[in-house]
Amino acid sequence: MKTHRYALFAVAFGFAGAFFAREGAEAQPPAAPRTLSVATLAPPGSTWMRVLEGWNRELRRRSNQTLQLRIYPGGVQGDESEVVRKVRAGRLDGGIMTAVGLGQIHLPSLAFQMPGMFQNYQQLDAARARTRTGIVSAFDTAGFVFLDWGDVGFSKVFANQEVRTPAALAQTRPYVWRDDRVMPALFSQVNATAVSLQLPEVLSALNTQRVNAFITSPVAAVSLQWSTRATHMTDVNVGLVVGATVFGKRQFESLSPEHQTILRETATQFHQLLRTNLRRDEGAAVNSMRTRGMTIVSLTPAERAQWNTAFDATRTRLTGVIADAAFIRSIRSN
């Protein structure tokens, strides 16, 4: 009988423990609603913005409407250097930017955009995988959380005249991004006098013929409307324009653990989608420009060799300036 009473007490306490445990779990407050402000130069309606909007929808779904992005597109928060300053100051939570902006945080990021670094996306993907741990650690040290890479595409030479060789590029007035550290070295190597501008100034400069040439990817040229101001595209891969999404470390760590996990997991999902969509859209962008009358300039092997020589010399100039030789070798060892 005594044993029976002990058994009843044990069962009763078991039920009570389970009840209070359940009540405690139910009493855990949900994560406080958060809206993260992020800025990008990507214009509304572009490949990048369509994916970012899809990412935002998934963030809201996964978090039961408690986590979302407020996206500032088209450079309304300033150029990438300004976005980096605002994230550091806590006036923005993050940015989706090219390597030019990433280089404001960790200069060796620009090595991915040096001319002639990659022949295809497989080489780029392998380089990113090899260097990811070091990149993430470097951004963490600088006070940023590196979420994932995105693409802008293989850059080409666009101009209002045929540009078959580096010497022909020197006869144009090309645009160079004021904050870039890579393209000025290329223009100097080929003796071209570039006009330094911030990105939002370029379309106006093309309209007034202050500049009559630029180097960017076909998708970017179409999205930014620059392609409407050029008559020729030289079919040479100058370099791969890359980008990534970063958040301020303080801002990221202020999120609940649940929100941090959701942000990381959805970032991986949608940056993969972004890379897939961008690579698909490159061919479509070239076809649309050709349909609108742009001349695609195909090079002879001898002309292509001249470009490769200029690219090799430019990388030599930049080695030790934006990244050391060991890091550059780690990127190129394919």
Side-chain angles (χ1 to χ4, degrees):
M1 190 70 182
K2 195 173 189 178
T3 302
H4 181 63
R5 283 200 303 271
Y6 284 146
L8 287 175
F9 279 128
V11 170
F13 279 120
F15 276 121
F19 175 78
F20 286 116
R22 186 168 61 253
E23 285 294 298
E26 290 173 355
Q28 290 294 319
R34 289 291 300 273
T35 297
L36 301 174
S37 59
V38 296
T40 179
L41 293 175
S46 63
T47 297
W48 302 277
M49 279 304 301
R50 290 194 299 271
V51 173
L52 290 175
E53 288 160 358
W55 181 20
N56 203 13
R57 289 191 295 271
E58 181 64 6
L59 275 175
R60 290 195 291 261
R61 187 193 70 80
R62 283 276 308 272
S63 67
N64 284 328
Q65 312 300 313
T66 61
L67 182 63
Q68 64 179 346
L69 305 176
R70 179 182 293 119
I71 306 169
Y72 295 96
V76 297
Q77 288 285 343
D79 219 323
E80 292 187 348
S81 58
E82 180 65 17
V83 169
V84 171
R85 284 193 291 271
K86 287 181 176 179
V87 174
R88 283 186 169 131
R91 294 165 59 195
L92 284 170
D93 295 310
I96 300 102
M97 59 190 71
T98 70
V100 173
L102 300 176
Q104 302 281 320
I105 304 168
H106 179 55
L107 186 58
S109 305
L110 277 169
F112 287 89
Q113 286 190 184
M114 293 200 301
M117 283 292 284
F118 305 106
Q119 299 303 310
N120 52 58
Y121 282 111
Q122 290 73 28
Q123 292 177 350
L124 172 64
D125 291 341
R128 284 170 168 168
R130 281 195 302 274
T131 58
R132 180 173 176 84
T133 299
I135 290 285
V136 169
S137 176
F139 274 79
D140 180 79
T141 299
F144 286 78
V145 172
F146 184 99
L147 283 187
D148 210 340
W149 288 105
D151 289 335
V152 183
F154 273 107
S155 57
K156 311 282 188 178
V157 178
F158 294 84
N160 282 337
Q161 62 196 63
E162 187 176 72
V163 177
R164 304 192 69 88
T165 64
L169 180 61
Q171 304 307 309
T172 69
R173 296 184 304 280
Y175 143 74
V176 64
W177 199 341
R178 190 172 295 153
D179 296 323
D180 196 359
R181 302 280 293 274
V182 171
M183 293 312 297
L186 174 62
F187 290 131
S188 177
Q189 178 64 37
V190 304
N191 297 314
T193 302
V195 179
S196 177
L197 300 167
Q198 294 291 42
L199 192 138
E201 302 172 308
V202 177
L203 186 59
S204 175
L206 288 167
N207 285 334
T208 62
Q209 289 291 294
R210 184 181 175 193
V211 297
N212 61 7
F214 55 90
I215 297 176
T216 194
S217 74
V219 177
V222 170
S223 297
L224 296 167
Q225 301 179 48
W226 297 357
S227 62
T228 63
R229 305 298 186 268
T231 59
H232 292 72
M233 185 196 86
T234 305
D235 189 17
V236 59
N237 290 336
V238 177
L240 261 169
V241 186
V242 300
T245 297
V246 298
F247 279 84
K249 187 175 178 180
R250 284 183 294 107
Q251 295 92 315
F252 183 85
E253 290 182 345
S254 72
L255 297 173
S256 69
E258 178 188 4
H259 279 169
Q260 290 182 24
T261 298
I262 291 171
L263 188 60
R264 285 190 185 278
E265 291 179 353
T266 56
T268 298
Q269 175 187 355
F270 278 87
H271 283 72
Q272 177 60 55
L273 178 63
L274 174 60
R275 294 190 293 269
T276 299
N277 288 359
L278 187 284
R279 296 172 190 188
R280 177 203 65 202
D281 289 351
E282 274 193 303
V286 173
N287 289 336
S288 79
M289 290 186 292
R290 182 184 285 114
T291 299
R292 292 200 302 267
M294 182 175 287
T295 299
I296 311 300
V297 181
S298 297
L299 302 180
T300 67
E303 290 166 341
R304 200 169 294 281
Q306 291 183 51
W307 287 103
N308 288 334
T309 297
F311 299 157
D312 291 345
T314 301
R315 291 197 307 275
T316 298
R317 281 175 175 242
L318 292 170
T319 299
V321 177
I322 64 171
D324 61 33
F327 182 72
I328 292 170
R329 280 195 304 271
S330 73
I331 294 176
R332 294 203 79 215
S333 60
N334 292 293

